[in-house]
Amino acid sequence: MEGGIHPAEASAFKDCFSLAWRNPYILRLAFSAGIGGLLFGYDTGVISGALLYIREDFAAVDKHTVLQESIVSMAIAGAIVGAAAGGFMNDRIGRRKSILIADFLFFLGAVIMAAAVNPGMLIVGRVFVGFGVGMASMTAPLYISEVSPAKIRGALVSTNGFFITGGQFLSYLINLSFTKAPGTWRWMLGVAGLPALLQFFLMFFLPESPRWLYRKGREDEAKAILRKIYTEAEVEVEIDALRGSVDAEIKEEGSAEKINLTKLFATKTVRKGLVAGVGLQIFQQFTGINTVMYYSPTIVQLAGFASNQTALLLSLITSGLNALGSIVSIFFIDRTGRKKLLLISLAGCAVSLGLLTAVFHEASTHSPLVSRVESSKFDGLTCPDYQTAGSKTWSCVTCLKVSHDCGFCASTLDKMSPGACLASNSTVRDTCRKGERLWYTKGCPSNFGWLALIGLALYIIFFSPGMGTVPWIVNSEIYPLRFRGICGGIAAAACWISNLIVSQTFLSLTEGIGTAWTFMLFGIVAVIGFNFVMIFVPETKGLPIEEIEKMLEQNTIQLQFWKKRSDQNGKA
């Protein structure tokens, strides 16, 4: 064990399924808890499509970007509270009960959203959904981590990431299926309660985490559960490791029950774990992933695709790639290691975001012009700001940026030919579309739209296997047992606070500095994140949970993590 690291076997992925085949109980535990990730993913994806139709039903939402951002981000604000509360609840009442409470809150929020009669009620429902998502986001991977054998722990915790991305993909499918149904967005948001009901039912019949039980002095219950997961000989090894961890805690603090927050930040191993864990969660969000997930259809429209249905369909491609990436993570996480996946992921994200920056810059500088002749064909419907512009030359970008009351109606000859700048309302929109024209309020016609989709696809391909799943895995295994719940809550809260900042400002940034420069900011963050991972994030591949604390006590920075380590016999 050189440097405190157990090399994971190359066959870890096969071992995962082999062990699950021999002992399906392990898979049952992991997949039941992993539905918490499905709640997270479904909510992330469903609001992006539902927002298109919420804008059409509530005029105030369509006119005010801040209100759109609030509908999205209030769930994230709720998740901050849910994650912080979940950290304490995990240590007080256990992982299982915390998941059950999260399911109830999520279901309640889904019902309120589906029945909303105004934007305020919709926001209230989003807050309750956020409570549930925040608690589930940190509890599900923690529960899976604590019921998983060490050598396949990464693969099993990655199933939570698969459920997140699978939930996003499912949400886009459901969004598409309800585009023609009466009450479109109500169905989209209401269906979100079903996964919560399913998990509540499954978790009701599953046990508590054996590590939590042992720490609470319920050793016989912990052993009974561990015997269902390990062989008898392995159970004794696990119990010895747990006993050593709890004994060290009692020796250090005098009580295994007390959680001293001052001691938490003063303890070197915990502090180093928090720097790595919290930092990863912050960089995960500030590289822009949830702007893509929350606003994917809107980004597609910004790239030049006018139709809601087209935007949803093309967004389905990116969410599908996201789900595929999480499957790739399950395969490589215990073979390649956490750190290498993170670095490859961040490097690819930086390149992809650079491509998106260039594409959106070219699109904005080559948007079609506004023609007074075309605008005059819509008698009395011309945008008031354009009427008072005099002889100034306007483009589609100018028309949309000058006011939320303006929209661009493309030419019947070609979408890149000069079009009309009209007042933006449902009557004008329908009038424009009746003339076989395309109607734009978010983005402008562009010949670079497909290149933007390629950039988005590459971004997802690189992000999902690494930064999409690894931060949650690292946070589920890097903290000492006595601080695992509270530290996981702190990291999850940091994730949701970062998520809130990014999602609440994304549309405003695209309007203020442009879409191109917004993606450039995310790209710069990805480069900074690359250097952060190199310096501060340790490799925990194959290391039993109780031994990670010993590794964090070392002062070494693992810059040469890619070198193949020698085994105990000195063989390469």
Side-chain angles (χ1 to χ4, degrees), residues 479-530:
Y479 307 114
L481 176 63
R482 59 191 178 278
F483 293 123
R484 197 164 298 152
I486 186 64
C487 289
I490 291 172
C495 170
W496 289 110
I497 291 171
S498 305
N499 191 336
L500 176 63
I501 294 170
V502 173
S503 62
Q504 183 67 31
T505 59
F506 174 70
L507 292 181
S508 298
L509 278 173
T510 59
E511 291 181 356
I513 65 175
T515 309
W517 297 109
T518 301
F519 280 118
M520 175 174 278
L521 286 177
F522 294 147
I524 292 172
V525 172
V527 173
I528 297 172
F530 183 95

Side-chain angles (χ1 to χ4, degrees), residues 220-265:
D220 290 340
E221 294 178 61
K223 283 185 176 182
I225 297 167
L226 288 172
R227 286 192 180 96
K228 296 181 180 180
I229 300 172
Y230 299 94
T231 64
E232 191 62 34
E234 290 171 332
V235 168
E236 294 305 317
V237 173
E238 290 294 314
I239 291 296
D240 286 342
L242 281 168
R243 185 180 298 112
S245 177
V246 174
D247 288 347
E249 176 183 352
I250 294 173
K251 181 179 179 181
E252 181 180 349
E253 299 187 25
S255 172
E257 292 295 321
K258 183 177 67 173
I259 296 179
N260 189 320
L261 293 180
T262 303
K263 192 74 173 180
L264 185 152
F265 291 104

Side-chain angles (χ1 to χ4, degrees), residues 27 117 121 168 178 239 320 332 395 400 413 444 503 509 529 531:
L27 205 59
V117 295
M121 188 174 175
Q168 290 166 345
F178 285 118
I239 291 296
F332 283 105
S395 68
L400 299 187
L413 299 176
C444 290
S503 62
L509 278 173
N531 289 282

Side-chain angles (χ1 to χ4, degrees), residues 390-403:
S391 59
K392 294 180 180 178
T393 301
W394 276 31
S395 68
C396 170
V397 171
T398 312
C399 175
L400 299 187
K401 287 190 70 173
V402 72
S403 171

Side-chain angles (χ1 to χ4, degrees), residues 544-562:
I545 288 177
E546 283 71 32
E547 293 188 26
I548 290 176
E549 186 172 358
K550 298 176 183 178
M551 178 195 66
L552 290 175
E553 290 174 354
Q554 299 178 10
N555 292 315
T556 57
I557 297 176
Q558 298 176 2
L559 293 179
Q560 295 182 320
F561 63 94
W562 61 85

Side-chain angles (χ1 to χ4, degrees), residues 447-460:
N447 288 328
F448 301 97
W450 289 103
L451 196 54
L453 288 179
I454 292 173
L456 279 175
L458 285 174
Y459 172 77
I460 293 294

Side-chain angles (χ1 to χ4, degrees), residues 130-450:
F131 290 154
V133 168
M135 290 179 63
S137 68
M138 58 82 52
T139 307
L142 179 59
Y143 181 89
I144 297 170
S145 173
E146 292 187 344
V147 298
S148 302
K151 68 178 179 179
I152 63 168
R153 185 176 64 242
L156 286 178
V157 177
S158 290
T159 61
N160 186 64
F162 171 71
F163 271 105
I164 293 174
T165 57
Q168 290 166 345
F169 183 74
L170 177 63
S171 70
Y172 284 116
L173 285 176
I174 290 177
N175 280 349
L176 277 172
S177 66
F178 285 118
T179 54
K180 300 295 183 181
T184 50
W185 59 270
R186 297 183 186 278
W187 286 101
M188 295 173 181
L189 299 177
V191 168
L194 296 179
L197 279 180
L198 175 62
Q199 186 178 43
F200 188 95
F201 175 79
L202 293 174
M203 290 300 300
F204 193 81
F205 297 100
L206 290 180
E208 181 53 78
S209 159
R211 285 177 168 79
W212 183 86
L213 289 171
Y214 188 89
R215 186 174 179 272
K216 294 298 181 179
R218 295 156 65 176
E219 185 173 341
D220 290 340
E221 294 178 61
K223 283 185 176 182
I225 297 167
L226 288 172
R227 286 192 180 96
K228 296 181 180 180
I229 300 172
Y230 299 94
T231 64
E232 191 62 34
E234 290 171 332
V235 168
E236 294 305 317
V237 173
E238 290 294 314
I239 291 296
D240 286 342
L242 281 168
R243 185 180 298 112
S245 177
V246 174
D247 288 347
E249 176 183 352
I250 294 173
K251 181 179 179 181
E252 181 180 349
E253 299 187 25
S255 172
E257 292 295 321
K258 183 177 67 173
I259 296 179
N260 189 320
L261 293 180
T262 303
K263 192 74 173 180
L264 185 152
F265 291 104
T267 303
K268 176 183 176 181
T269 54
V270 180
R271 188 172 62 250
K272 289 178 69 175
L274 280 172
V275 168
V278 171
L280 281 178
Q281 297 288 26
I282 292 173
F283 281 109
Q284 181 191 61
Q285 297 306 313
F286 278 96
T287 51
I289 181 58
N290 278 319
T291 62
V292 176
M293 292 296 105
Y294 289 129
Y295 298 108
S296 183
T298 301
I299 293 173
V300 170
Q301 290 183 334
L302 288 171
F305 297 90
S307 165
N308 284 353
Q309 285 80 10
T310 301
L312 286 171
L313 183 61
L314 293 176
S315 298
L316 187 64
I317 296 174
T318 59
S319 64
L321 289 172
N322 201 21
L324 180 63
S326 63
I327 296 174
V328 172
S329 177
I330 294 173
F331 181 81
F332 283 105
I333 191 67
D334 286 319
R335 297 185 54 169
T336 304
R338 284 68 160 146
K339 191 163 183 170
K340 189 179 294 186
L341 275 182
L342 287 170
L343 292 173
I344 293 171
S345 178
L346 285 165
C349 285
V351 173
S352 305
L353 289 165
L355 174 61
L356 285 169
T357 299
V359 169
F360 277 101
H361 179 266
E362 287 299 303
S364 66
T365 55
H366 293 84
S367 69
L369 298 175
V370 174
S371 165
R372 291 200 174 272
V373 174
E374 286 292 313
S375 298
S376 66
K377 294 179 180 178
F378 298 87
D379 187 34
L381 302 180
T382 306
C383 176
D385 293 274
Y386 180 63
Q387 288 178 331
T388 59
S391 59
K392 294 180 180 178
T393 301
W394 276 31
S395 68
C396 170
V397 171
T398 312
C399 175
L400 299 187
K401 287 190 70 173
V402 72
S403 171
H404 290 295
D405 295 323
C406 296
F408 183 79
C409 187
S411 170
T412 54
L413 299 176
D414 178 81
K415 68 178 184 178
M416 296 305 295
S417 298
C421 185
L422 307 177
S424 178
N425 57 56
S426 58
T427 301
V428 177
R429 177 192 68 209
D430 294 340
T431 302
C432 172
R433 289 174 177 172
K434 285 179 182 177
E436 300 300 320
R437 298 167 180 258
L438 295 174
W439 174 250
Y440 295 85
T441 57
K442 286 299 176 185
C444 290
S446 171
N447 288 328
F448 301 97
W450 289 103

